[in-house]
């Protein structure tokens, strides 16, 4: 139990920093950076908790991004700010960057080093993982406006 | 909290006003300008459409129709049977959520009838993109990538190497962006810089898993916002915008992979695959 708690704390700490860092690249207003940190820490540790309970990676991602999307509705209505301002920065730590780049480096290597089956398998597996995680992230964020608000503006 | 979910704010519908042709033209210009600012600074299509339509109606048009394409906006404003159509070219100005927030705020104020057309024009003209201090951004991005390396299971030596590699890369990326280089070229060259520095960790075998430095130090180049916008555009019905954003993000990733591959070939250090 203590181990799990330490794991989650570690996760929350090391994903809050990237959320703030990328929020600054997106020029999120200074007073909103704290929300990005909270969202990032919450989302990534929720995903880790789900994975710990045995949920597959993509579904865990969907759960985490849906909860960030719902929290985003509350914050955006309270501060009258569009939702992507918090939510996209919060899920940045979960974006499958390594998988995406592995796919692309693999494609280049497939050409330069010649065809091999293990390489093709790496490319396809990583590419599919990238796609499904991205779809889970983005669809999760869209759930409040697709399911609850259905076309009405949130703010 | 529950109450804020249940009650959706009904937009205050402005009474249909009798407006002159000049006023109608003016309102169309303001509305398309608001949409243009949003698209230039990286808002998703649904938000762009929603904002222009709401702003146009709040200022007195009967209806507003907006067509969004990858690099132009086409808006038609209707009033008393007259149509005015106007097109604006959209240039990518980089993602800036501050501008998106401000335009949204102006729209809400116009909708509550707190601002007239002239005030909205003045406020939109006065908007200047807010930028965080660049050295602070360099430091934070270095820390971000270093934290990613920690999440991948690296120790503190890996953390330090990743910090150096990605901070230098971020500085390089800012310089390239400042000189208005093509984004794909910018990302490719930045990936080259990051991977070349990270390759030192593999060559001198620093830390418990030196390969992690190479993987984590290029994560500052993940096109996260375009990818998320792409999927959410497609989910919300703007398929063609979604496809063009998706393709652009893929090209950026391909540029990054080219930079990584070139660096690995030039330095002879292999860290991926």
């Amino acid at each position: 139990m203590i181990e799990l708690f330490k794991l989650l704390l570690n996760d929350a700490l090391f994903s809050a920093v990237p959320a703030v860092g990328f929020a600054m690249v997106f020029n999120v207003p200074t007073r909103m950076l704290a929300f990005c940190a909270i969202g990032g820490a919450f989302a990534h540790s929720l995903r880790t908790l789900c994975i710990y309970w045995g949920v597959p990676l993509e579904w865990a991602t969907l759960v985490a991004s849906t909860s960030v999307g719902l929290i985003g509705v509350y914050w955006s209505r309270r501060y009258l700010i569009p939702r992507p301002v918090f939510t996209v920065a919060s899920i940045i730590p979960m974006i499958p960057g390594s998988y995406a780049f592995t796919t692309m480096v693999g494609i280049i290597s497939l050409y330069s080093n010649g065809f091999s089956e293990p390489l093709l398998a790496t490319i396809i597996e990583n590419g599919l993982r990238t796609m499904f995680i991205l779809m889970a992230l983005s669809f999760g964020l869209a759930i409040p406006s697709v399911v609850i608000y259905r076309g009405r503006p949130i703010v | 909290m529950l109450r804020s979910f249940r009650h959706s704010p009904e937009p205050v519908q402005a009474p249909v006003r009798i407006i002159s042709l000049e006023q109608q033209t003016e309102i169309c210009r303001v509305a398309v300008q608001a949409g243009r600012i949003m698209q230039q600074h990286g808002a998703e299509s649904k938000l762009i459409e929603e904002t222009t339509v709401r702003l146009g109606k709040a200022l007195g048009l009967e209806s507003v129709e907006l067509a969004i394409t990858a690099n132009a906006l086409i808006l038609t404003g209707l009033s008393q049977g007259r149509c005015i159509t106007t097109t604006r070219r959209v240039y990518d100005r980089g993602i800036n959520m501050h501008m998106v927030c401000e335009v949204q705020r102006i729209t809400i104020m116009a909708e509550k009838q707190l601002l007239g057309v002239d005030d909205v024009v003045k406020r939109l003209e006065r908007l200047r993109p807010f930028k965080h201090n660049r050295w602070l951004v360099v430091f934070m991005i270095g820390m971000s990538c270093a934290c990613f390396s920690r999440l991948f299971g690296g120790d503190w030596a890996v953390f330090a190497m990743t910090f150096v590699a990605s901070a230098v890369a971020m500085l390089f990326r800012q310089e390239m962006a400042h000189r208005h280089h093509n984004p794909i070229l910018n990302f490719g060259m930045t990936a080259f810089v990051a991977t070349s520095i990270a390759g030192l960790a593999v060559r001198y075998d620093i830390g418990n898993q030196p390969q992690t430095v190479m993987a984590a130090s290029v994560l500052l180049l993940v096109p996260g916002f375009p990818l998320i916008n792409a999927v959410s555009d497609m989910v919300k019905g703007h398929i063609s915008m979604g496809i063009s954003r998706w393709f652009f993000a893929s090209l950026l990733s391909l540029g990054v992979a080219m930079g990584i591959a070139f660096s690995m070939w030039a330095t002879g250090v292999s860290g991926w695959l």
Side-chain angles (χ1 to χ4, degrees):
Chain A
M1 195 61 208
I2 294 293
E3 276 303 302
L4 176 65
F5 189 68
K6 263 165 87 178
L7 177 74
L8 291 183
L9 203 66
N10 184 52
D11 241 60
L13 186 68
F14 286 109
S15 52
V17 177
V20 175
F22 280 89
M24 286 174 77
V25 174
F26 304 148
N27 295 302
V28 171
T30 313
R31 62 199 177 90
M32 293 297 150
L33 288 178
F35 296 99
C36 296
I38 296 169
F42 170 74
H44 201 280
S45 43
L46 181 62
R47 182 172 84 159
T48 309
L49 187 65
C50 286
I51 292 171
Y52 180 83
W53 283 335
V55 182
L57 179 60
E58 300 77 22
W59 291 101
T61 308
L62 184 68
V63 171
S65 65
T66 309
S67 7
V68 169
L70 288 171
I71 297 171
V73 171
Y74 177 64
W75 281 341
S76 80
R77 301 193 54 152
R78 184 147 173 214
Y79 299 100
L80 294 184
I81 287 219
R83 227 155 41 100
V85 174
F86 325 102
T87 52
V88 176
S90 305
I91 59 159
I92 282 284
M94 299 192 287
I95 296 236
S98 290
Y99 299 135
F101 292 153
T102 308
T103 313
M104 291 296 182
V105 172
I107 289 173
I108 295 170
S109 162
L110 194 67
Y111 170 71
S112 55
N113 298 342
F115 177 86
S116 75
E117 264 181 27
L119 189 57
L120 188 67
T122 315
I123 294 171
I124 294 179
E125 279 166 13
N126 279 287
L128 288 178
R129 200 174 290 150
T130 310
M131 219 171 69
F132 282 120
I133 294 178
L134 269 176
M135 271 157 51
L137 281 174
S138 202
F139 192 70
L141 289 188
I143 276 185
S145 65
V146 170
V147 176
I148 303 176
Y149 284 90
R150 293 190 296 269
R152 283 170 295 161
I154 288 182
V155 186
Chain B
M1 182 163 173
L2 270 180
R3 203 180 51 186
S4 75
F5 274 108
R6 255 184 258 127
H7 295 287
S8 154
E10 288 302 320
V12 183
Q13 184 63 53
V16 175
R17 283 172 259 175
I18 307 294
I19 51 175
S20 68
L21 189 62
E22 286 76 34
Q23 282 171 316
Q24 190 183 352
T25 316
E26 185 68 26
I27 296 168
C28 287
R29 279 188 191 146
V30 175
V32 81
Q33 178 63 15
R36 186 191 195 189
I37 293 174
M38 281 209 151
Q39 192 172 0
Q40 281 179 331
H41 294 98
E44 57 172 319
S45 305
K46 174 95 182 309
L47 194 61
I48 301 170
E49 190 176 25
E50 210 175 84
T51 308
T52 44
V53 171
R54 283 167 71 182
L55 188 60
K57 281 188 177 170
L59 295 177
L61 294 180
E62 267 164 45
S63 91
V64 178
E65 316 289 331
L66 183 73
I68 306 174
T69 66
N71 39 23
L73 282 178
I74 303 158
L75 176 135
T76 297
L78 277 108
S79 180
Q80 301 141 56
R82 292 184 307 238
C83 290
I84 290 177
T85 301
T86 177
T87 307
R88 290 290 180 279
R89 179 76 166 81
V90 172
Y91 299 95
D92 188 16
R93 291 273 176 84
I95 295 154
N96 193 324
M97 283 301 115
H98 164 253
M99 293 293 270
V100 175
C101 290
E102 290 301 315
V103 174
Q104 171 96 348
R105 176 155 300 161
I106 292 170
T107 306
I108 291 173
M109 283 170 82
E111 208 163 51
K112 299 206 161 119
Q113 305 299 322
L114 296 173
L115 298 178
V117 185
D118 300 339
D119 305 321
V120 176
V121 172
K122 238 180 268 162
R123 282 183 182 236
L124 285 181
E125 272 173 4
R126 233 188 307 157
L127 284 184
R128 291 284 170 272
F130 161 78
K131 290 246 161 70
H132 284 283
N133 180 300
R134 60 176 294 196
W135 297 103
L136 194 59
V137 172
V138 167
F139 174 75
M140 283 307 290
I141 286 296
M143 284 302 281
S144 304
C145 290
C147 285
F148 281 132
S149 79
R150 190 81 189 148
L151 286 176
F152 295 157
D155 61 6
W156 290 109
V158 169
F159 187 91
M161 274 308 289
T162 313
F163 176 80
V164 173
S166 50
V168 173
M170 189 64 202
L171 200 61
F172 187 80
R173 176 178 159 183
Q174 284 179 342
E175 284 300 319
M176 292 274 288
H178 187 66
R179 289 171 174 70
H180 300 286
H181 278 289
N182 180 300
I184 299 170
L185 180 72
N186 181 352
F187 273 45
M189 290 185 64
T190 308
F192 178 82
V193 171
T195 309
S196 301
I197 297 172
L200 294 175
V202 179
R203 169 159 289 185
Y204 297 108
D205 200 22
I206 299 169
N208 60 345
Q209 30 181 350
Q211 312 274 341
T212 306
V213 181
M214 296 185 83
S217 62
V218 288
L219 286 181
L220 75 149
L221 298 168
V222 177
F225 227 103
L227 281 172
I228 297 293
N229 272 347
V231 181
S232 64
D233 276 0
M234 287 196 244
V235 169
K236 293 171 188 171
H238 294 272
I239 304 283
S240 57
M241 271 306 281
I243 290 172
S244 63
R245 284 188 209 259
W246 180 272
F247 204 85
F248 183 61
S250 306
L251 279 184
L252 285 178
S253 314
L254 189 64
V256 172
M258 288 281 186
I260 294 169
F262 184 57
S263 164
M264 290 201 301
W265 173 78
T267 57
V269 175
S270 134
W272 291 75
L273 302 174

